[in-house]
Amino acid sequence: MGPRTPGLPLTNQPGNTELLSEPQFSHLPNRKSCTNLLDSSENKSQGVWHTGGAQNEVWGFYRGLSLPVCTVSLVSSVSFGTYRHCLAHVCRFRYGSADTKPAKMDITLSGFASGLVRVFLTSPTEVAKVRLQTQAQKQTQQRRPSALGPSAAPPTCPAPAVGRAPGPKYRGPLHCLASVAREEGLRGLYKGSSALLFRDGHSFATYFLSYAVLCEQLTPAGRSRPDVLGVLVAGGCAGVLAWAVATPMDVIKSRLQADGQGQRRYRGLLHCVVTSVREEGPRVLFKGLSLNCCRAFPVNMVVFVTYEAVLRLMQGLLS
């Protein structure tokens, strides 16, 4: 699943799009463009491509993703492996055989366990991704004029810069992880893990349960498994349902992880939820849901087709 957050562009793991809704400026005004500063500062976010691509170039969509991409195979194998082993042990304990058809509660518990195990692997990479992406957005915001509007006076041209501007705090994912561990300790690498536990536990339970139920409904009469089309539809719908459950905690998780930079704003999970809802309304918890769902359907179609193919291959080799 990938059952890729506020402040995040499109990624593989769970929606984070709050920062995409902020207006962006691609460069500081020079002497030639000073008279056009007011016009350029009026530009608002016009969509994902406008904020993520047009202003920050195409690479803005992929900032901070190198570490998650390198670890996605490990995380996915652990997630699906934990689910299969947990389900087999539950069936063996309850029914005496691992080959017995599991009940829906067995699938739900196994999926929940899979999500909990996944947190210990993904939390550090999520912290690095969020920090790198919010760092880039803060650098862009620092270039904005502070007072603009209908009544604001025309800005003056900036004086020539003396010396080189300070570079970014984090030079890459590994440097980010090392810096966070040095400055904030091991707890810094697992900042926001409480929200991540709520996100992955419930969303993976929904993920595997919905897939199993849909596969059962889409299996033709007289057969034990659905065809490829049924697996595609079931996998895509399972991913969408999982992200619908995961998005609220994904938003909170991203805010908690980004909160470690500078002065802390949130005291914990509950305080972050209450503050966000009070200031921005309940809809803030579902920011990026539509984008996450549009991504989740095709991604999880491929995930489950590959998963079923590997299972059949392994069963054929072991039989």
Side-chain angles (χ1 to χ4, degrees), residues 37-65:
L37 181 60
L38 276 174
D39 292 335
S40 63
S41 66
E42 295 294 332
N43 293 337
K44 302 294 182 181
S45 170
Q46 297 175 1
V48 176
W49 174 254
H50 177 78
T51 55
Q55 296 281 0
N56 297 316
E57 299 180 352
V58 175
W59 292 113
F61 287 115
Y62 302 97
R63 186 176 287 112
L65 290 182

Side-chain angles (χ1 to χ4, degrees), residues 14 28 34 82 89 94 124 171 193 197 218 238:
L28 283 171
C34 183
T82 301
H89 283 294
R94 293 190 62 184
R171 297 191 297 269
S193 58
L197 284 169
L218 296 173

Side-chain angles (χ1 to χ4, degrees), residues 43-238:
N43 293 337
K44 302 294 182 181
S45 170
Q46 297 175 1
V48 176
W49 174 254
H50 177 78
T51 55
Q55 296 281 0
N56 297 316
E57 299 180 352
V58 175
W59 292 113
F61 287 115
Y62 302 97
R63 186 176 287 112
L65 290 182
S66 58
L67 190 60
V69 166
C70 293
T71 59
V72 65
S73 297
L74 172 64
V75 172
S76 296
S77 63
V78 169
S79 299
F80 280 85
T82 301
Y83 168 73
R84 291 291 300 182
H85 282 289
C86 185
L87 189 61
H89 283 294
V90 169
C91 290
R92 189 178 296 113
F93 175 77
R94 293 190 62 184
Y95 313 114
S97 173
D99 297 328
T100 305
K101 182 179 178 180
K104 293 181 175 59
M105 181 57 68
D106 303 330
I107 297 172
T108 302
L109 291 175
S110 300
F112 190 84
S114 172
L116 296 184
V117 172
R118 179 187 176 93
V119 170
F120 295 98
L121 297 175
T122 59
S123 185
T125 61
E126 290 280 337
V127 169
K129 180 181 69 174
V130 171
R131 295 289 178 92
L132 289 169
Q133 291 173 341
T134 54
Q135 167 184 265
Q137 210 256 350
K138 285 184 177 181
Q139 288 179 325
T140 304
Q141 287 181 333
Q142 288 175 355
R143 303 188 181 106
R144 298 180 187 173
S146 58
L148 287 175
S151 60
T156 58
C157 291
V162 179
R164 183 176 297 178
K169 181 178 180 180
Y170 306 120
R171 297 191 297 269
L174 296 180
H175 180 257
C176 179
L177 290 176
S179 300
V180 171
R182 183 175 61 252
E183 296 171 2
E184 305 175 38
L186 185 63
R187 292 182 61 183
L189 296 177
Y190 287 89
K191 193 176 184 68
S193 58
S194 56
L196 200 58
L197 284 169
F198 279 104
R199 186 196 78 173
D200 286 355
H202 295 85
S203 62
F204 270 84
T206 305
Y207 188 54
F208 288 109
L209 177 61
S210 58
Y211 175 74
V213 171
L214 288 170
C215 279
E216 184 177 347
Q217 297 296 323
L218 296 173
T219 300
R223 298 184 59 180
S224 60
R225 294 177 177 177
D227 54 17
V228 174
L229 181 59
V231 173
L232 288 172
V233 174
C237 293

Side-chain angles (χ1 to χ4, degrees), residues 13-33:
Q13 289 267 345
N16 308 312
T17 55
E18 180 191 348
L19 299 186
L20 293 177
S21 64
E22 293 289 329
Q24 303 269 337
F25 296 89
S26 59
H27 60 278
L28 283 171
N30 54 32
R31 294 183 180 275
K32 293 182 180 180
S33 62

